[in-house]
């Protein structure tokens, strides 16, 4: 029976045990047993689809992956301990020494460090493009380029890139398109529809949505996932069954949570847009967003992250954080709790002003991960903090 997103998130389920449980139990087991020598031989040679050892697969991680595969419209997937494990293992599995990546400059901080500090150890190099100048991408592609990589919306500046354009470039040059879809979630955006070969997520963020566990997942083409699976079952970045069990239950409420996150975020963005202490606001579904039309084309709603610039630079940004009473000052995002950060004085303080500007981080930029508290209370807190 063909079903919709919300139904897939709830009804994709591991086979029931002999106890006929309704909700999938937690399978805390490192290994699995075999009936006899033949069963063991057939399982190890993959003639039989059977769990062998939880570094390879486990009923809980399989259920979590199957849900994300269904929600993203992918063929297969593999679950990781963290989002960074998903990103590192995806590159580790697919790239050889001498290969080249073309990536958006504004990517998650640790991903950037992976590109600049660690992948060069294996002679894998990266060229960067400005997400607001997609016309410059093609000139960066060389015969060694294997992967085109981007996030949309970006962190923390909430820029949007046209996924359909990236899909057509990847196809034209016969390279893989890999998209970090963490900020959008599979509910708001499905990059595979626009030509992505692989989609990866930090499940730590909106997928869990409650700030409890770390996790990551890569889904996409079955032949690529096979390589990623073989790499990962031998190098060990697997998701724990407990985290998979938590995350699989979280996915059942993803659609309803993200709907409210987006409704609250739009109201927060509209409030900030009209505030005299605010220079500008960036939210994908505000008409003033430079890529509003692209956002509307590829996203169902605008997401839960709002970026804005408080008038008065670094000091005003710090002051705003110090005035916050209800919201949290924290590094996470996508939680039920609203989280406020000031990148120039915290996460990106080590960069020079001009390096920050290359990824659209101005001194007064504040990022809000809008949570699920009553939106009037969130707005009241922001209002008193801006005074
Ligand atoms: C948090 C995050 C990651 C890394 O995920 P972890 O689970 O913290 O390892 C990667 N990409 C984006 C966009 C993120 O927000």
């Amino acid at each position: 029976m063909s079903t919709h997103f919300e139904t897939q998130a709830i009804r994709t389920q591991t086979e029931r045990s002999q106890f006929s449980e309704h909700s999938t139990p937690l399978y805390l087991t490192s290994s699995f047993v075999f009936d006899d020598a033949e069963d063991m031989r057939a399982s190890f040679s993959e003639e039989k689809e059977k769990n062998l050892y939880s570094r390879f697969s486990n009923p809980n991680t399989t259920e979590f992956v199957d849900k994300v595969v269904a929600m993203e419209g992918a063929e297969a997937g593999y679950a990781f301990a963290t989002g960074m494990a998903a990103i590192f293992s995806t590159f580790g599995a697919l790239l050889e020494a001498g290969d080249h990546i073309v990536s958006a400059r504004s990517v998650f901080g640790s991903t950037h460090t992976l590109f600049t500090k660690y992948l060069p150890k294996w002679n894998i190099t990266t060229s960067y493009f400005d997400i607001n100048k997609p016309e410059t991408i093609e000139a960066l592609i060389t015969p060694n380029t294997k992967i085109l990589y981007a996030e949309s919306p970006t962190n923390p500046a909430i820029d949007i890139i046209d996924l359909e354009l990236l899909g057509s470039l990847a196809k034209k040059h016969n390279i893989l398109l890999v998209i970090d879809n963490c900020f959008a979630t599979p509910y708001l955006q499905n990059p595979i529809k626009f030509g992505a070969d692989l989609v990866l997520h930090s499940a730590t963020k909106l997928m869990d949505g409650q700030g409890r566990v770390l996790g990551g997942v890569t889904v996409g083409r079955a032949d690529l996932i096979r390589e990623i699976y073989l790499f990962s079952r031998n190098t060990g970045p697997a998701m724990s069954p407990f985290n998979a069990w938590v995350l699989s239950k979280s996915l059942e409420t993803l659609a309803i949570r993200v709907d409210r996150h987006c409704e609250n975020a739009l109201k927060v963005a509209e409030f900030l847009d009209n505030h005299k202490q605010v220079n500008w606001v960036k939210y994908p579904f505000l008409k003033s967003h430079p890529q509003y039309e692209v956002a509307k084309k590829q996203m169902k709603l605008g997401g839960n992250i709002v970026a804005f610039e408080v008038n008065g630079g670094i000091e005003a940004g710090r002051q705003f954080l110090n005035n916050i009473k209800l919201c949290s000052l924290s590094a996470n995002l996508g939680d039920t709790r609203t989280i406020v950060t000031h990148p120039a004085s915290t996460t990106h303080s080590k960069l020079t002003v001009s390096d920050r500007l290359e990824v659209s981080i101005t001194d007064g930029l504040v990022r809000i991960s809008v949570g699920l508290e009553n939106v009037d209370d969130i707005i009241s807190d922001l209002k008193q903090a801006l005074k």
Side-chain angles (χ1 to χ4, degrees):
M1 183 173 132
S2 122
T3 54
H4 295 90
F5 184 91
E6 294 82 352
T7 313
Q8 289 163 354
I10 291 170
R11 291 287 171 179
T12 305
Q13 203 166 352
T14 282
E15 219 178 294
R16 294 204 169 98
S17 80
Q18 75 271 33
F19 298 114
S20 306
E21 68 282 343
H22 194 195
S23 173
T24 304
L26 171 55
Y27 290 95
L28 275 187
T29 179
S30 41
S31 66
F32 300 83
V33 289
F34 304 94
D35 300 333
D36 50 37
E38 175 49 25
D39 182 31
M40 200 162 181
R41 184 204 62 77
S43 302
F44 271 84
S45 68
E46 296 187 67
E47 277 166 38
K48 265 189 190 174
E49 220 180 283
K50 217 170 153 170
N51 292 304
L52 311 176
Y53 187 60
S54 286
R55 169 151 46 79
F56 308 175
S57 68
N58 170 286
N60 293 118
T61 54
T62 301
E63 182 179 282
F64 168 69
V65 168
D66 287 350
K67 284 186 182 186
V68 180
V69 164
M71 295 160 106
E72 284 286 14
E75 292 172 0
Y78 187 82
F80 298 89
T82 65
M84 284 321 301
I87 294 168
F88 177 63
S89 304
T90 299
F91 287 118
L94 300 178
L95 295 178
E96 310 281 338
D99 283 346
H100 176 245
I101 301 164
V102 172
S103 170
R105 183 170 277 116
S106 44
V107 288
F108 186 70
S110 295
T111 307
H112 197 262
T113 306
L114 178 65
F115 289 160
T116 51
K117 187 158 181 207
Y118 296 106
L119 292 184
K121 296 208 302 186
W122 296 288
N123 194 24
I124 294 165
T125 53
T126 306
S127 300
Y128 303 95
F129 61 89
D130 179 337
I131 197 145
N132 293 314
K133 293 185 187 131
E135 67 280 6
T136 61
I137 297 174
E138 208 161 5
L140 299 174
I141 297 172
T142 69
N144 298 338
T145 306
K146 204 77 168 283
I147 288 178
L148 179 58
Y149 187 82
E151 299 171 10
S152 184
T154 60
N155 177 30
I158 311 302
D159 289 318
I160 300 282
I161 190 146
D162 188 338
L163 296 177
E164 197 176 3
L165 173 76
L166 295 185
S168 66
L169 282 176
K171 192 155 184 215
K172 179 176 167 196
H173 292 275
N174 198 23
I175 56 180
L176 299 174
L177 177 60
V178 181
I179 298 291
D180 181 337
N181 201 31
C182 172
F183 271 37
T185 81
Y187 179 57
L188 300 181
Q189 176 173 281
N190 295 130
I192 289 171
K193 262 195 229 151
F194 300 104
D197 299 285
L198 292 169
V199 175
L200 48 85
H201 288 275
S202 165
T204 314
K205 314 295 169 55
L206 285 157
M207 277 193 178
D208 174 35
Q210 286 141 91
R212 301 169 299 187
V213 296
L214 299 170
V217 61
T218 302
V219 301
R221 261 170 53 187
D223 58 328
L224 302 174
I225 294 294
R226 173 79 186 157
E227 291 306 313
I228 293 168
Y229 163 73
L230 291 174
F231 178 85
S232 304
R233 75 176 245 176
N234 289 297
T235 54
M239 175 180 277
S240 83
F242 177 78
N243 286 10
W245 179 77
V246 170
L247 287 164
S248 183
K249 302 216 182 290
S250 304
L251 288 180
E252 297 185 10
T253 58
L254 183 76
I256 195 166
R257 283 186 288 108
V258 172
D259 270 335
R260 180 63 70 84
H261 273 293
C262 295
E263 188 186 319
N264 286 357
L266 182 59
K267 286 184 186 157
V268 166
E270 284 168 348
F271 159 75
L272 292 167
D273 210 20
N274 293 314
H275 199 288
K276 62 180 187 319
Q277 281 291 83
V278 172
N279 295 340
W280 50 257
V281 180
K282 268 215 332 261
Y283 182 69
F285 272 35
L286 272 190
K287 282 219 176 64
S288 56
H289 192 290
Q291 295 103 8
Y292 173 75
E293 293 301 330
V294 179
K296 280 273 177 179
K297 177 178 75 170
Q298 63 197 28
M299 297 176 77
K300 186 182 165 84
L301 295 163
N304 84 312
I305 313 286
V306 180
F308 72 96
E309 188 182 68
V310 58
N311 185 22
I314 290 248
E315 257 325 296
R318 286 171 52 90
Q319 189 61 50
F320 174 76
L321 247 62
N322 284 334
N323 291 349
I324 286 288
K325 290 194 172 116
L326 178 78
C327 303
S328 311
L329 312 185
S330 171
N332 200 13
L333 59 96
D335 195 314
T336 51
R337 296 162 181 82
T338 297
I339 294 169
V340 180
T341 55
H342 178 230
S345 70
T346 57
T347 46
H348 295 72
S349 63
K350 288 200 197 92
L351 299 184
T352 63
V353 173
S354 70
D355 282 352
R356 282 204 291 268
L357 284 178
E358 280 200 352
V359 287
S360 313
I361 300 173
T362 61
D363 283 353
L365 176 84
V366 174
R367 184 192 78 184
I368 308 182
S369 165
V370 180
L372 299 179
E373 302 95 337
N374 186 299
V375 70
D376 294 338
D377 297 332
I378 300 170
I379 289 174
S380 295
D381 192 27
L382 301 176
K383 195 184 226 164
Q384 64 81 25
L386 280 167
K387 267 207 181 124

